[in-house]
Amino acid sequence: MAGTHTVLFTLLPTVLILIALAGVESAAVKDVKDSKAQAGASKRVFMPASDASNFFKQRSRRSPRTYEEYYAEQRVKMAANERRREHLEEQNNEYENYLEEERDEQYERTREKNEQWREFHYDGQYPRYPYHRQYV
């Protein structure tokens, strides 16, 4: 109980200060800069008649694209596809090289292990590798 009282008494001045600061900001005097900014915004909304006619001459969303626009878009798509293809090809080559190295290492380990096994189990009475002879 005493802990909650201490927390409330420490938070109470902070809340009062925030309320006082919020009241001061809302009672601030209007700046001249703000009125100039609003006038600039109204100038941006209203435009001269020549600019307005050019605005409506621009292509609408549903009108067909020009050949140049279509061709530029296709070039961008083709360049992106080429970059993607090169990246995937590079990744594939790296993976194939990795697999080849892994297979070579595995083959070498297996060969050495088999060779050691044959040497360990060789008793000297028969040819070393009877199944490697040309004529059986």
Side-chain angles (χ1 to χ4, degrees):
M1 191 72 161
T4 57
H5 286 300
T6 54
V7 170
L8 288 176
F9 284 130
T10 54
L11 291 178
L12 184 65
T14 308
V15 171
L16 291 176
I17 290 172
L18 289 176
I19 291 172
L21 288 177
V24 170
E25 282 184 22
S26 64
V29 179
K30 188 170 153 181
D31 286 339
V32 178
K33 294 178 184 177
D34 289 339
S35 64
K36 288 181 182 177
Q38 287 177 352
S42 66
K43 286 182 182 177
R44 278 185 270 141
V45 169
F46 300 106
M47 60 177 66
S50 61
D51 291 342
S53 65
N54 289 336
F55 177 79
F56 287 112
K57 285 181 183 175
Q58 291 176 352
R59 182 176 67 84
S60 70
R61 184 174 289 181
R62 292 188 177 208
S63 65
R65 293 184 302 219
T66 62
Y67 179 74
E68 290 80 17
E69 288 175 325
Y70 178 76
Y71 189 66
E73 187 176 322
Q74 291 303 316
R75 279 184 298 175
V76 168
K77 286 182 182 179
M78 287 172 58
N81 286 341
E82 181 70 20
R83 285 192 303 270
R84 187 180 305 114
R85 188 186 61 77
E86 288 176 358
H87 175 71
L88 291 175
E89 186 175 326
E90 182 179 335
Q91 294 289 324
N92 196 15
N93 287 340
E94 288 178 7
Y95 182 67
E96 286 178 358
N97 291 340
Y98 166 76
L99 282 181
E100 185 178 349
E101 290 175 7
E102 279 293 314
R103 287 183 188 127
D104 289 347
E105 290 175 7
Q106 183 68 32
Y107 173 75
E108 187 67 24
R109 285 194 298 267
T110 306
R111 191 185 60 76
E112 288 176 0
K113 199 179 290 185
N114 289 341
E115 197 172 299
Q116 289 175 358
W117 187 86
R118 286 184 189 127
E119 288 178 6
F120 181 76
H121 291 285
Y122 178 61
D123 58 358
Q125 294 180 4
Y126 301 102
R128 277 191 103 108
Y129 304 109
Y131 41 85
H132 281 198
R133 289 184 296 184
Q134 291 180 350
Y135 305 106
V136 179

